[in-house]
Amino acid sequence: MNLPNGLELLAVNELTNKHQNFTQPLTPNASFKLRIPTVPADLRGAYRQTTANFQWLIRHAIDNGQRMRAIGKNWSFAKVGVTNGGMVDANALTTTFGLRAASVDPAYLASGKSASNLFFTECGLTIHIIEQMLEESKKSVRASGASNGQTIAGAVSTGTHGAAFTFGAVQDTVVGIHLICGPDRHVWLERASNPITKSNFTDNLGISEVIRDDDLFNATLVSFGSFGFIHGLLLEVENLFWLKSYSVDTTPYNDALKKAMTDCDFSGIANQFTPPLPASSSTAEPYHFQLMVNPHQIDLTGADTTKGAFVRILVKHTTKPDQAVAPPPKPEFIYGDDTLGLMQTVLDALRPSVLVPFLVNKLYPAAKEQTNGWVGTMMEFFAPTDIRGKASSAAIGMDSRDSPRVLEKIIELNAQSAFPGVLGLRWVKKTSAILGFTRFPITCVLELDGIDSALTNQFLERVWNALDVAGIPYTMHWGKVNFGLNPSRLRQMYSDAAVDTWLKARHQLLDAQTRAVFTNEFMEKCGLDKEVILESPIV
Amino acid sequence: MNLHVPTSRLIGHPRPWATLFLVVITYALAGCITTRVATEPDCDTPEGVTYSQKTVTAYFWGFKQPTDLKPPCDPRFNHLNGVTVKSTFAHYLLSTVTLGIVNKQQVRWCCAPYVPRRDSL
C-alpha cells in the first residue's frame, strides 16, 4: 500500500482498553498511525498535510467499506470510541500554535481577553503536556479530569468532567474545532454567539470552510469520534492559578453536608476543616468539591461521626498562597497490575457476601486523596492516574439537588447486596455540549469505582433501574461503564429535542458515506445511528 | 493443611472446586511481577496496544541473550518515556519445566512524543 507522508499501517487485529474491560476485534490491515509529516518541514505545511492524510483515511475507509475511529489514550471503559473496522492512532499529532492578536476576532479582544488566552492544539496532545506548555507561559487550563493523561480530543469527546462546579468540564474550555468530516470536506467550527478567530488564522491552517453555528458546535463537542476526525481544538485558557486543598477524613452525613451537596454552600461545614475553609474573596474561590463514601461504612443518620464522608474542597487562588506546601511524592509500593483482576476472579467465582465489605474497607483508605494543606497547580493536583489492571468505573450525572436522595438510595441498595467498590461524588457546572452528560445546572457526578466483576455490573443495573423507578433524572458518563444505555433511556436522559438536534448536526456535517465510516456498534445500540430528514438542504 | 474450612466459612456456600480454582488462580496471578521505569507519563501510542510491546527470549541460563530492542520511535525525537518488563506465571513455569534453558519476558515501551516547538498564527 502506497501511503502518504505521515501515515503508517499498523499490524493490529484487536484492541484491549487500558482498564481491560473489553477487547475490541479490528479488521486486519485497516488500522493506521498518523505522525507529523516530515514533508513539508514547516509546521503549517505539515498540519495541512495531516488534514489531507485524515481525508485519505476517510476515502480509504469508504472505498473498502470499512468503519474507522480515531483513538487517544484508550482509557474509556465503554466501547463508545471503537469499532470493529480500523483504528487510527492519532497520539503522535502534537503540533501547537499560539494566536496573534491579528488572528483574533475584535469582539473577543473587546471583552477584555487577549490572544494569549487562546491555545490551539492538534488532537493527540495529552492534557499533561498542554499543562506543561501552558505553565511555562504562566497560563493554565480551566478544567481537566481527575487525571491528566488523556489526549485532549479524547477527553473532550467523551465529556471528561473534572470537578469545577463554577466552570464546567474539559469540553467547556473549547472555543474552536477543526473537524475532518469527509474525504473532500473539512470545516472550522465556532459558536455564532462567541466568534473567536479571523480568516488569517484559518487560512494559515488551510481551512476554507468556516461555520459559526451554536447547535453544530455544541453537538460536535461531545460526539465520541462519530462526527469525523477532530484534527485540532482551540482552547480558552487563563492565567496560572493555584489550588489549596482542604480535606476532612470523615464528615457526618447531616443537614450541613446535605446543603453542601445540594447547593455547593459550604458554610455549614467550613469549620470542620483544619484550618477552617476561608471565606470566598476576589483572590480565593472554591473551585473543586468532592466526596468519597464507603457504602459499607456510612451512617446516614449522622449520629456516628466516625462513619461519615471524606470531603475535599480545592480553593482557587490567583496568586500563590504564602507558605505553600507542594504535594509529596507517591509511596514506594502500589498494588500490582493483576490485583484487581484477581479480586474479579474471586468475586465472580465465589460471590462472597462477607468478603466484599472486607475488601472495600481495606481498599477505601487508599481511595481518599490525603492532600489537606497542599498547594499546587492543576497539573500537580490532577496528575496521571496510577490505577492498574482491571478496574471498573461507572458514573451517573444528576441535578445536585437530587444528590442526597440518590446517595441514600444507593446505600439502601448496598445493604441488600454489597457493591465491591466505593462512591465518589463531584460537582460540575452545566455544559453547553448537547450530549454532554453534565447537563444539569450543577451536575453531581456520582462515580461507582470498583472491581470489574459480574457483581459490580449487577449492582450498577440495580442502581439505574432504581433511579428510573424513583423518577430521578440522570445521565451516564459516555466513557465509563454504561452498558445500561439504550435508545429510550438515552432520549429520556437528554430529551427528544436534544438527541434530534445532535443527529441533525451530524447529518449536516457528514454525508451518508462518511456517516457510515464513523458509525460504530455502540451508536447502533443507543439509536444514535438513525437517519433524520433535514428540513433544509446541507449547506 | 485444610484450605476448605476457612474459605467456606467466609463465602457461606462450600464449593470445593471453586476453592481449588481460587487457589490455583491466586498462585498463578500472584506470580506476575511488573517493573516500570517511567520518566514522564506521556506516550505517542494508546495504552495497552500490542505494537508497543514484544516478548523476548533468553536461552541456556542467559548465555544466549535476545538482541537489543529498537522501538520504532519518531526519529525526530527518538526518546523513551517508559519501559515495563513483565514476567508472568507462564514464563516462570516455562523456565522451571525447561530447567532454565528457555526464559521469556514481556517488554513494553512508551515512546516519548515528538512535540514541535510552538508556532504562532
Side-chain angles (χ1 to χ4, degrees):
Chain A
M1 195 183 303
N2 193 18
L3 297 174
N5 191 300
L7 259 180
E8 298 168 10
L9 186 66
L10 291 175
V12 56
N13 297 334
E14 63 178 29
L15 175 71
T16 299
N17 70 326
K18 170 185 168 63
H19 300 291
Q20 300 170 27
N21 306 93
F22 64 82
T23 295
Q24 173 66 45
L26 298 168
T27 303
N29 297 316
S31 296
F32 296 85
K33 184 173 185 65
L34 281 158
R35 292 188 188 278
I36 298 169
T38 52
V39 178
D42 71 294
L43 285 183
R44 298 172 198 191
Y47 185 91
R48 290 193 287 266
Q49 175 59 41
T50 302
T51 297
N53 289 348
F54 272 124
Q55 293 187 306
W56 184 96
L57 287 167
I58 297 173
R59 170 61 62 199
H60 175 80
I62 290 172
D63 290 347
N64 290 279
Q66 292 166 344
R67 292 178 168 181
M68 193 171 267
R69 279 288 170 125
I71 191 161
K73 280 291 175 278
N74 195 20
W75 280 20
S76 286
F77 292 84
K79 289 190 174 185
V80 63
V82 295
T83 172
N84 56 14
M87 67 172 233
V88 175
D89 174 358
N91 285 269
L93 298 181
T94 57
T95 301
T96 59
F97 294 104
L99 269 71
R100 296 176 181 150
S103 298
V104 181
D105 191 288
Y108 184 82
L109 299 174
S111 69
K113 296 169 182 170
S114 73
S116 67
N117 288 109
L118 299 167
F119 180 90
F120 181 80
T121 173
E122 265 189 318
C123 53
L125 213 57
T126 60
I127 295 173
H128 178 251
I129 295 180
I130 291 172
E131 288 175 331
Q132 284 181 332
M133 297 176 90
L134 288 174
E135 282 200 16
E136 285 172 9
S137 51
K138 304 296 181 196
K139 296 287 180 185
S140 174
V141 294
R142 306 186 73 189
S144 77
S147 182
N148 62 2
Q150 313 97 323
T151 61
I152 184 66
V156 166
S157 297
T158 51
T160 300
H161 52 87
F165 65 87
T166 57
F167 175 69
V170 178
Q171 74 268 10
D172 298 310
T173 69
V174 178
V175 292
I177 303 170
H178 183 199
L179 183 72
I180 317 297
C181 49
D184 304 307
R185 190 182 188 200
H186 61 110
V187 300
W188 178 255
L189 289 167
E190 290 179 7
R191 291 187 183 93
S193 59
N194 187 26
I196 305 291
T197 61
K198 286 166 54 177
S199 59
N200 50 341
F201 170 77
T202 42
D203 289 348
N204 270 309
L205 293 179
I207 306 169
S208 57
E209 186 176 354
V210 176
I211 302 176
R212 291 194 171 89
D213 183 301
D214 283 22
D215 277 352
L216 292 186
F217 186 89
N218 293 333
T220 307
L221 270 180
V222 174
S223 53
F224 25 87
S226 63
F227 273 48
F229 293 117
I230 290 177
H231 186 182
L233 291 165
L234 185 62
L235 310 179
E236 188 169 58
V237 301
E238 65 182 77
N239 291 339
L240 185 61
F241 60 84
W242 289 264
L243 299 166
K244 183 166 183 177
S245 174
Y246 295 80
S247 62
V248 181
D249 211 45
T250 174
T251 301
Y253 187 76
N254 55 22
D255 289 344
L257 183 59
K258 288 182 208 173
K259 190 169 180 57
M261 293 170 68
T262 53
D263 301 337
C264 291
D265 178 347
F266 310 118
S267 56
I269 61 171
N271 286 330
Q272 294 185 32
F273 297 89
T274 309
L277 205 62
S280 293
S281 69
S282 60
T283 58
E285 289 284 343
Y287 171 84
H288 165 112
F289 175 37
Q290 177 186 13
L291 295 189
M292 290 292 297
V293 174
N294 178 351
H296 309 287
Q297 284 183 336
I298 179 88
D299 175 16
L300 292 179
T301 69
D304 187 343
T305 55
T306 64
K307 292 185 175 177
F310 170 82
V311 182
R312 184 169 83 151
I313 294 172
L314 301 181
V315 175
K316 180 179 177 180
H317 290 260
T318 51
T319 55
K320 192 171 186 178
D322 293 335
Q323 299 172 324
V325 180
K330 299 247 179 189
E332 190 174 351
F333 287 100
I334 188 170
Y335 65 85
D337 284 28
D338 297 309
T339 304
L340 297 180
L342 176 62
M343 290 184 189
Q344 178 201 36
T345 305
V346 173
L347 294 176
D348 284 347
L350 305 180
R351 301 183 184 282
S353 56
V354 179
L355 193 55
V356 169
F358 172 79
L359 286 174
V360 174
N361 291 338
K362 286 290 178 193
L363 289 174
Y364 178 59
K368 295 187 286 189
E369 296 180 77
Q370 300 290 2
T371 60
N372 192 39
W374 292 2
V375 172
T377 58
M378 289 285 282
M379 184 169 66
E380 289 168 325
F381 267 104
F382 303 110
T385 182
D386 52 9
I387 294 173
R388 295 178 167 203
K390 294 174 86 72
S392 170
S393 182
I396 50 177
M398 73 200 85
D399 192 309
S400 62
R401 291 166 294 190
D402 289 326
S403 57
R405 64 176 177 140
V406 171
L407 177 62
E408 289 159 19
K409 179 79 64 185
I410 291 175
I411 301 301
E412 182 187 321
L413 292 172
N414 183 68
Q416 297 163 12
S417 177
F419 168 59
V422 298
L423 311 175
L425 294 87
R426 292 189 271 161
W427 281 259
V428 188
K429 191 178 177 183
K430 179 183 172 73
T431 184
S432 52
I434 289 173
L435 290 192
F437 88 102
T438 49
R439 63 184 299 266
F440 303 95
I442 298 289
T443 299
C444 171
V445 180
L446 192 154
E447 297 175 330
L448 299 105
D449 297 337
I451 295 155
D452 182 27
S453 71
L455 207 59
T456 301
N457 290 343
Q458 288 159 9
F459 188 82
L460 293 175
E461 202 144 29
R462 279 198 290 275
V463 170
W464 298 326
N465 291 339
L467 295 182
D468 286 338
V469 169
I472 299 174
Y474 69 99
T475 53
M476 293 183 197
H477 193 313
W478 293 104
K480 295 202 169 187
V481 178
N482 55 21
F483 60 86
L485 276 176
N486 57 45
S488 64
R489 240 183 192 153
L490 188 82
R491 285 181 173 269
Q492 189 179 327
M493 288 173 177
Y494 291 94
S495 79
D496 284 338
V499 173
D500 289 342
T501 300
W502 189 90
L503 290 173
K504 185 179 164 190
R506 188 165 182 257
H507 278 60
Q508 284 181 305
L509 290 167
L510 280 65
D511 63 21
Q513 286 186 317
T514 309
R515 285 200 301 277
V517 170
F518 291 101
T519 298
N520 69 358
E521 299 74 32
F522 180 94
M523 294 170 67
E524 289 168 335
K525 177 176 172 287
C526 297
L528 290 173
D529 61 319
K530 300 300 178 203
E531 297 293 314
V532 294
I533 299 169
L534 297 175
E535 293 164 359
S536 55
I538 295 171
V539 177
Chain B
M1 186 170 64
N2 187 348
L3 285 172
H4 296 277
V5 175
T7 312
S8 302
R9 279 180 186 159
L10 261 183
I11 63 174
H13 303 286
R15 292 182 188 174
W17 62 268
T19 305
L20 181 64
F21 175 71
L22 171 65
V23 170
V24 171
I25 289 294
T26 300
Y27 281 100
L29 292 179
C32 300
I33 295 177
T34 305
T35 303
R36 284 187 179 81
V37 179
T39 54
E40 290 286 328
D42 307 290
C43 305
D44 80 346
T45 50
E47 295 206 35
V49 289
T50 52
Y51 53 87
S52 62
Q53 70 180 43
K54 190 171 184 180
T55 299
V56 295
T57 310
Y59 296 96
F60 307 110
W61 311 277
F63 284 114
K64 185 181 176 187
Q65 294 281 350
T67 53
D68 293 348
L69 291 177
K70 291 184 180 175
C73 300
D74 192 314
R76 286 168 289 189
F77 195 53
N78 204 20
H79 287 280
L80 292 173
N81 269 351
V83 175
T84 303
V85 180
K86 183 173 182 177
S87 300
T88 67
F89 177 72
H91 294 155
Y92 293 126
L93 192 64
L94 180 66
S95 181
T96 303
V97 168
T98 62
L99 302 176
I101 294 171
V102 182
N103 296 280
K104 287 184 177 291
Q105 286 181 314
Q106 186 193 79
V107 182
R108 177 170 290 178
W109 58 85
C110 160
C111 287
Y114 161 59
V115 183
R117 183 182 291 274
R118 191 179 348 168
D119 196 357
S120 62
L121 296 172

